[in-house]
Amino acid sequence: MYHAVGQEPSDAAYGLSVSPSAFAEQTRLLAERGFTALTTGQLGDAWRPGGPPLPRRPVLITFDDGYEGVHRHALPVLAEHGFVSTVFVSTGWLRGPYDEGGALDTMLDWSQVRELAAAGMEIGGHTHTHPQLDQLDDALLWYETVRCRDLIARELGVRPTSFAYPYGYSSRRVRHAVRAAGFAQSLAVGNALARPRQGPYALERLTVRRSTSIAEFGRMLDSGPLGVARAFAKDRALTKGYAVVRRTRRAYTLLTESGRASGTAD
């Protein structure tokens, strides 16, 4: 899981960014180790009954949010190695007629999104304004999911089939909404290897950061599930702890709203 690719990203985007040279080195290592890049849609198809077999060393290269550097820096590197990827865009952050503001750095415009799609990159949904979906009420959850889907379909002429949760957060209610909106698979974060048993709406990914060295990246590729679990143990512990906080916050919000509604009725 990548975000921004740039030499001097904004402070807000810096930690989850990679430099163009680091991305090129990481992609070259993937090619040298014999990996075959797939889109998220291709992985979803392969893991369904009767789907095509996966190559020997499959890998998903994904980008969240829709930063301009994906087009400027990542696309030429991916093309050099014959790699595809999935770019999950928050449609209200992209430059153009639907821009709602709030983006953390320079984003793609719609002409660049179309060029990425024409080059074989899958364009997936990442909501409209990048909210924490599990904290929204049902109406806003549906709006964020469907608005994103419809704008991508309008601009590209085809509905997206893959989705990624902003911040990696989801719940059963969120996953049901994403499925009801017509998405066939969705990615979380989790910092673990994706496995069929996770189900098509909770597939996990590994985070690549500015601080990820090429040695660490190489260990991600070769250490297997146990090695990955050890490398991301702190991240996974923080994720589990914050999940409890988020569920508590959502329950409190619902209780407060219920109390207000009851008071109004009285």
Side-chain angles (χ1 to χ4, degrees):
M1 178 184 66
Y2 291 95
H3 288 78
V5 182
Q7 197 61 49
E8 296 182 354
S10 69
D11 290 346
Y14 187 84
L16 286 176
S17 72
V18 296
S19 69
S21 60
F23 181 76
E25 190 174 18
Q26 291 162 4
T27 306
R28 183 166 57 251
L29 189 60
L30 285 170
E32 290 173 353
R33 300 284 176 88
F35 282 86
T36 299
L38 306 174
T39 65
T40 305
Q42 288 171 332
L43 178 66
D45 290 342
W47 278 351
R48 289 186 177 87
L54 288 172
R56 187 176 64 88
R57 301 200 82 181
V59 63
L60 263 63
I61 302 170
T62 67
F63 302 90
D64 282 9
D65 302 344
Y67 293 97
E68 193 268 346
V70 175
H71 182 276
R72 180 189 300 270
H73 301 297
L75 178 58
V77 172
L78 294 169
E80 177 185 348
H81 296 287
F83 282 174
V84 294
S85 68
T86 303
V87 183
F88 293 103
V89 297
S90 293
T91 50
W93 279 11
L94 301 183
R95 289 179 291 147
Y98 319 113
D99 189 349
E100 302 275 2
L104 304 183
D105 207 337
T106 303
M107 310 304 287
L108 297 163
D109 63 32
W110 282 100
S111 66
Q112 292 171 321
V113 174
R114 286 189 286 272
E115 288 175 11
L116 289 169
M121 309 304 166
E122 179 185 16
I123 306 301
H126 197 48
T127 72
H128 186 55
T129 64
H130 204 274
Q132 300 177 14
L133 289 177
D134 60 339
Q135 301 300 302
L136 301 183
D137 63 30
D138 290 346
L140 278 176
L141 170 60
W142 185 246
Y143 170 80
E144 285 285 341
T145 308
V146 171
R147 176 69 167 162
C148 171
R149 178 201 70 190
D150 290 349
L151 289 179
I152 294 172
R154 179 186 302 176
E155 293 294 331
L156 301 185
V158 60
R159 272 193 177 190
T161 62
S162 300
F163 190 88
Y165 307 110
Y167 309 101
Y169 305 145
S170 72
S171 63
R172 181 176 297 178
R173 182 176 64 97
V174 170
R175 294 189 288 274
H176 284 174
V178 169
R179 181 175 182 174
F183 291 97
Q185 52 271 323
S186 190
L187 300 184
V189 180
N191 285 309
L193 299 181
R195 291 287 183 262
R197 65 174 179 269
Q198 294 160 3
Y201 294 95
L203 295 173
E204 298 189 335
R205 297 180 285 174
L206 304 178
T207 305
V208 184
R209 299 181 171 89
R210 198 82 178 188
S211 60
T212 303
S213 69
I214 192 63
E216 290 172 318
F217 189 84
R219 287 194 291 271
M220 282 188 204
L221 305 185
D222 296 331
S223 59
L226 290 178
V228 166
R230 285 194 293 268
F232 287 95
K234 181 178 179 181
D235 297 82
R236 291 174 63 82
L238 289 172
T239 297
K240 289 179 180 179
Y242 198 41
V244 175
V245 173
R246 299 181 64 74
R247 286 194 294 269
T248 302
R249 182 188 300 165
R250 177 61 182 165
Y252 177 78
T253 299
L254 291 173
L255 183 62
T256 302
E257 292 173 350
S258 176
R260 288 173 181 168
S262 177
T264 300
D266 292 344

